[in-house]
């Protein structure tokens, strides 16, 4: 009999531990509880519930200093032990264990039976592209400059100027909650009206990801209210509400718009080498399994720092064909200006959303020119034309001004 | 005009930063976005949304080594900026900021207007005591020895033996999910039947905290099914589902049983000095605000280690009269045996739940004697009798055997 298992990989720091013994303790302790003292007859029944040590890789360099010795442990957990939901999986593999010394959850591999319970992103990379009718270039997303304390007129103006610049997606700020100045449905109506006005000029569709907030039990209803008011995308602070809530929203047939997951609070989990949950799992694999169509995560270019290899591992988890659900659109965010576009495309490839806030609103010629500069940079990078050359071409004045303002990297 | 604010305190490590400038950047950046470039007329309107620096305490010892310099920053966030829910507050104060270098969220102080939206624990310390009819001693909780792969007959036997020992609460293992061997309602019926059988012998009531699991949208219905089947308490993996879910469950008038919050996954947040959310906030103040009647957290005595001052700070947050909701019962857990009872009572006082697993089931005379040993230890500690003296008294054979097995501390 083959047991269907989910595998968890941990990095565990300890200067003296017997890591093989520790791994065995986890495998038994987090499944059947005890093994050696079970009667033989019970062992036969319990075997299908018993966790197994898959591998133990000890990192112990010659003459290592205190704090340098660690091991990567992989444990297989029979999926018969838990229900088909992310809370059950996380509590099983990292509930009590998260509090047991210096241990970080690096990765999870789901059994096919577990994965089957997750439809994943409803749209994913190709579905988002279909909605926009854009298949031949990276997408461009922009963020409001500021939202708190602004009224609908002001928000509409900000929205319109962003849309005029040729962006594909505009997202709410993640800290814009239900409020009397710009309540959900009125905000959607106003911004979508601005989108139509801009489309009449630019001929370009766009998605507006409105921030979905409120009590957990009201989120689905709020999403449907927003959609009824015209919303064609949703922004969601997934970690503040839990992966299971994202999964339920993305699985709801009446929420038929792309969902962009925001990484708010992610820094409480991923940056420590010793504790927490690694970014490629936290913001990559689990967000995708839970059904995020787009996932924002810290870019390697800005003030919000994540080591570049970790950024790329997040991206990889979002598009890895090994997971049998649609890909999530990677949206590396923070510190992006038009001069970085060739680098972004080299690092992340074609299937990426270039996302900017200050790099659009801070453009010397204004917000609309900010978007245009990005579009010009994307076109140049795709044609293999260096940014200074492209900037000198007629019609690319916005790009020229952006490069003069922020410089460029190639 | 006085602005109603919630205050957040962070510890921020940086060898060179101008912490005053950083604090100002947070206060402005996470509220109105920008300030100095606003027209004067707008400033008047925006002032009520503007965050303020409350204090900056720089810790910079003479000749400090790299990595040792930090500051504790307190920022006041006007509560007009966010809705009255924990996800909104956390995303505001620590959403993007959590990813901005070495920064840990230490504490939150809620505005009265924010707190008003939270009824807090429905029972709390006094309500749990009322339900049990026990007001004159610390309570005793026990945990099943092992649950995965066991059927109802086996679980009933485990339950009955624990109940016979005179425990006040029995909790499910947090990794027991909905499963064909011991499904929710049958498990409740079977265990509550064992509880009645034991009560006929001991004369003692007890609460059985059944593990509430499943899809987020079904949790309230599952809780009500469990209650209809006779459940008189609930165990909940609050961090796996989110504080807001706990808040909604605890606020539901039809869920009229105490809720015990389990700390599963807490170690992904609190142990790093540089990142995450401090334990007294994570497991103390926020669990209580969200309505947990009992809160389990790592004890300072076991293998799951938390520095003792942090344990006591969690306890303090659970019972601090400054928060205008009922107190949550502190349940320090892991590594507890009867010989530690005097120490537990000295550390945590009278309003504590003594919680044991191995320290009950591993008793040389069996599970029932394990519970009795704890009750005898509690009685001795309350009477100021040292454990060896009490153990020598007639009727206290269970305590004597426990001390021979595990020793004692006084």
């Amino acid at each position: 009999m083959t047991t269907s298992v989910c595998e968890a990989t941990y990095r565990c720091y300890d200067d003296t531990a017997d890591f093989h013994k520790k791994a065995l303790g986890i495998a038994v302790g987090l499944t059947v509880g005890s093994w050696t003292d079970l009667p033989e007859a019970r062992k036969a029944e319990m075997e299908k519930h018993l966790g197994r040590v898959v591998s133990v890789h000890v990192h112990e360099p010659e003459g290592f200093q205190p704090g340098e010795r660690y091991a990567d442990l992989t444990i297989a957990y029979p999926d018969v032990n838990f229900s088909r939901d992310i809370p059950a999986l996380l509590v099983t593999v990292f509930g009590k264990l998260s509090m047991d010394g210096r241990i970080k959850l690096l990765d999870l591999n789901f059994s096919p039976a577990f994965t089957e319970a997750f439809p994943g992103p409803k749209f994913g990379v190709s579905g988002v592209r279909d909605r926009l009718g854009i298949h031949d270039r990276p997408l461009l997303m922009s963020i409001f400059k500021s939202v708190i304390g602004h009224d609908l007129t002001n928000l509409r103006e900000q929205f319109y100027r962003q849309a005029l610049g040729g962006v594909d997606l505009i997202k709410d700020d993640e800290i814009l909650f239900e409020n009397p100045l710009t309540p959900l449905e009125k905000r959607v109506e106003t911004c979508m009206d601005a989108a139509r006005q801009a489309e009449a000029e630019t001929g370009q569709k766009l998605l507006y990801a409105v921030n979905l907030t409120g009590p957990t039990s009201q989120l689905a209803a709020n999403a449907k209210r927003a959609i009824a008011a015209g919303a064609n995308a949703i922004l969601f602070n997934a970690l503040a509400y839990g992966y299971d809530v994202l999964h339920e929203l993305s699985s709801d047939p009446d929420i038929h718009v792309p969902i962009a997951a925001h990484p708010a609070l992610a820094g409480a989990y991923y940056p420590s080498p010793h504790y927490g949950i690694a970014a490629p799992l936290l913001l990559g694999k689990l967000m995708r399994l839970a059904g995020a169509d787009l996932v924002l995560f810290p870019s390697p270019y800005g003030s919000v720092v994540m080591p570049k290899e970790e950024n790329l591992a997040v991206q990889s988890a979002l598009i890895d064909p090994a997971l049998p659900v649609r890909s999530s659109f990677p949206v590396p965010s923070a510190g992006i200006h038009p001069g970085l576009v060739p680098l972004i495309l080299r690092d992340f490839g074609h299937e990426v959303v270039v996302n900017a806030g200050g790099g659009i609103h801070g453009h010397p010629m204004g917000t609309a020119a900010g978007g245009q500069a990005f579009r010009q940079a994307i076109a140049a990078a795709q044609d293999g034309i260096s940014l200074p050359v492209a900037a000198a071409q007629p019609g690319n004045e916005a790009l020229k001004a952006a490069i003069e303002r922020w410089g460029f990297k190639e």
Side-chain angles (χ1 to χ4, degrees), chain A residues 369-388:
Chain A
Q372 289 155 4
F374 270 102
R375 288 289 303 277
Q376 292 159 11
I378 290 170
Q382 285 201 292
D383 293 343
I385 301 173
S386 85
L387 290 188

Side-chain angles (χ1 to χ4, degrees), chain A residues 186-209:
Chain A
K186 286 217 158 47
R187 190 160 89 239
V188 168
E189 285 163 11
T190 302
C191 289
M192 292 310 294
D193 184 62
R196 280 185 294 273
Q197 189 190 343
E199 189 180 343
E201 297 196 39
T202 62
Q204 191 187 325
K205 283 187 203 309
L206 64 74
L207 297 176
Y208 166 43

Side-chain angles (χ1 to χ4, degrees), chain A residues 270-271 298-300 304-313:
Chain A
Y270 72 73
S299 85
V304 174
V305 178
M306 180 188 283
K308 191 165 192 169
E309 63 184 30
E310 211 170 335
N311 291 107
L312 297 178

Side-chain angles (χ1 to χ4, degrees), chain A residues 10-270:
Chain A
Y10 312 92
R11 180 157 295 176
C12 181
Y13 281 84
D14 197 303
D15 289 342
T16 57
D18 177 341
F19 285 121
H20 293 270
K21 193 175 160 195
K22 183 167 181 91
L24 195 62
I26 294 169
V28 175
L30 298 186
T31 57
V32 299
S34 57
W35 185 250
T36 48
D37 53 345
L38 281 184
E40 286 307 313
R42 280 294 287 155
K43 283 189 182 175
E45 291 166 49
M46 293 294 272
E47 194 157 11
K48 69 172 183 287
H49 298 283
L50 176 64
R52 307 271 178 187
V53 179
V54 176
S55 65
V56 177
H57 296 292
V58 181
H59 174 87
E60 188 181 61
E62 189 85 25
F64 69 89
Q65 298 297 306
E68 289 181 353
R69 181 175 181 267
Y70 68 81
D72 289 343
L73 319 176
T74 299
I75 310 290
Y77 296 86
D79 66 16
V80 66
N81 292 353
F82 44 85
S83 44
R84 300 284 181 266
D85 57 85
I86 295 176
L89 178 61
L90 287 178
V91 167
T92 297
V93 307
F94 206 48
K96 204 178 288 179
L97 188 59
S98 72
M99 293 176 276
D100 187 17
R102 293 191 160 192
I103 187 161
K104 181 170 183 173
L105 180 62
L106 295 186
D107 198 13
L108 289 170
N109 278 312
F110 317 118
S111 65
F114 187 84
T115 312
E116 251 175 34
F118 295 86
K122 201 176 276 164
F123 299 91
V125 171
S126 62
V128 169
R129 286 191 172 288
D130 289 347
R131 291 238 140 181
L132 290 165
I134 309 264
H135 295 88
D136 59 351
R137 60 169 172 80
L139 300 181
L140 177 61
M141 176 188 283
S142 75
I143 308 167
F144 287 89
K145 185 180 178 190
S146 53
V147 292
I148 286 181
H150 293 286
D151 62 15
L152 287 169
T153 308
N154 182 304
L155 230 57
R156 189 189 194 287
E157 181 64 16
Q158 282 192 53
F159 191 99
Y160 178 66
R161 284 170 190 271
Q162 293 173 82
L164 271 190
V167 304
D168 303 297
L169 305 101
I170 297 177
K171 71 172 253 315
D172 266 353
D173 201 313
E174 78 280 1
I175 58 168
L176 185 60
F177 303 99
E178 191 58 15
N179 73 92
L181 286 173
T182 53
L184 182 68
E185 286 155 294
K186 286 217 158 47
R187 190 160 89 239
V188 168
E189 285 163 11
T190 302
C191 289
M192 292 310 294
D193 184 62
R196 280 185 294 273
Q197 189 190 343
E199 189 180 343
E201 297 196 39
T202 62
Q204 191 187 325
K205 283 187 203 309
L206 64 74
L207 297 176
Y208 166 43
V210 65
N211 196 22
L212 181 62
T213 69
T216 304
S217 63
Q218 298 306 310
L219 290 171
N222 288 349
K224 290 165 199 175
R225 281 200 296 125
I227 291 168
N232 57 6
I234 279 168
L235 179 73
F236 187 55
N237 290 308
L239 297 174
Y241 287 97
Y243 290 111
D244 191 63
V245 176
L246 173 58
H247 164 60
E248 292 204 295
L249 292 169
S250 72
S251 308
D252 188 325
D254 295 330
I255 301 178
H256 41 70
V257 301
I259 299 175
H262 193 278
L265 298 174
Y269 303 83
Y270 72 73

